[in-house]
Amino acid sequence: MSPATSATSLLLLHTWGGDARTWAPALRFLCAGGRTAEAPDLPGHGDRTAEPFTLAGALETASAHTADHLADRSADRPADHLVDRPADRPVDVVGSGLGALVALALARQRPGSVRSLTLVGFPPAGGPAAAGRLAETEERLRRAGTAAFARSYADGTLRGPDPARRELLRRSMAATRPRTLLDSLRATLGWADDEPPRPPGPPCLVLRGAYDERVGADAARTLAGQLGGTYGVVAGAGHVAYLDEPEAFAAVLADFHHGLDRAAAGPAAVPAAVAGPAGRSGTEPVPPVRHSSDPPTRRSPSAER
């Protein structure tokens, strides 16, 4: 791991129904070489289940872990949720599902505090599909209860064979209040209602598990183009790639961040690796999508025939 990457801390924002502890299997690989990371509980999750979830509150939580806020924080923090890091540098922000929604908002509002942005298992379905999923989730929670819903969700979402990883997600979701699950799901499903996709500022990677049944490859590639970013795949993983395949997830993330280090080192830097076949992990550049705020492209007379 390069010195520049080791010096850039990770801010890890957990998936829907998860908490900071769900990052534990990945931390072993993400923090290799002495890299530091923080993984806070979002409001209503983990040690904060008594709090209501709001996107504003989640954004405040993420902002509190950026460089310009760390000086004001208490030193009394749970050791299993984070590793201390230098407070004078921007962070590499990584968000999965619900955490990706918060990460995107953070990068837009505080771009100077974010070196790079990685969105995992994002975007969720929009339109009628989003409304249908919210109604279905509410009905399942009402009929089965949170504990049974959590077990079914974890079993149906994680592809990996390790029962301990599945148990991390199940326990976290089972301890989360139904209202929090619904409010946070509503916020995630409505992510583009108020603001259409546009480049957030920092370099961006849109990452999905190769077997993610909730976010298809076309949707992820399209979002990467809209955000002016890169599309990446984690081999063998489903929707929650950081829990399914933590080592492969960390490797793709490291490649992305190494590419930023090389770019910062100057024009002689070696370009980042491009993805191989669909079954392998990796990243690939995506042609940028022209946004409505961009100037119209002038077409040649021959192009209009």
Side-chain angles (χ1 to χ4, degrees), residues 70-293:
L70 284 176
D72 298 328
R73 291 176 53 203
S74 167
D76 183 19
R77 293 169 291 179
D80 60 338
H81 284 218
L82 53 87
V83 180
D84 287 331
R85 65 170 173 84
D88 59 350
R89 296 183 177 91
V91 293
D92 288 322
V93 183
V94 183
S96 176
L98 171 63
L101 172 71
V102 180
L104 183 57
L106 177 67
R108 286 173 170 168
Q109 293 196 19
R110 311 188 69 88
S113 297
V114 177
R115 186 183 81 140
S116 72
L117 174 69
T118 299
L119 308 177
V120 189
F122 200 78
R133 184 181 168 195
L134 185 64
E136 177 189 7
T137 300
E138 185 170 17
E139 179 64 13
R140 288 176 63 193
L141 282 167
R142 185 186 67 82
R143 289 191 174 188
T146 309
F149 176 87
R151 182 173 297 280
S152 175
Y153 181 85
D155 288 344
T157 300
L158 297 182
R159 294 180 53 89
D162 188 345
R165 296 179 199 160
R166 190 173 289 109
E167 186 67 4
L168 280 173
L169 183 58
R170 186 201 66 78
R171 284 186 178 181
S172 173
M173 183 170 282
T176 306
R177 295 186 303 177
R179 179 48 51 195
T180 295
L181 291 172
L182 293 172
D183 287 346
S184 56
L185 180 61
R186 183 180 295 106
T188 307
L189 293 173
W191 71 284
D193 288 349
D194 298 327
E195 188 174 13
R198 60 179 175 80
C204 179
L205 170 64
V206 177
L207 189 59
R208 67 180 287 272
Y211 299 103
D212 188 343
E213 297 179 353
R214 291 184 174 84
V215 179
D218 288 344
R221 280 196 182 94
T222 297
L223 181 63
Q226 291 172 327
L227 298 180
T230 299
Y231 167 68
V233 174
V234 179
H239 183 60
V240 188
Y242 72 89
L243 255 179
D244 257 337
E245 295 290 342
E247 185 172 9
F249 173 82
V252 176
L253 209 60
D255 284 345
F256 174 54
H257 293 152
H258 280 315
L260 300 181
D261 296 336
R262 290 190 290 264
V270 180
V274 175
R280 296 173 56 189
S281 298
T283 61
E284 64 182 49
V286 177
V289 174
R290 189 173 68 82
H291 301 270
S292 58
S293 58

Side-chain angles (χ1 to χ4, degrees), residues 11-31:
L11 174 56
L12 308 172
L13 303 174
H14 61 75
T15 192
W16 178 69
D19 62 13
R21 294 175 181 86
T22 61
W23 285 102
L27 280 174
R28 169 187 171 191
F29 306 104
L30 292 170
C31 295

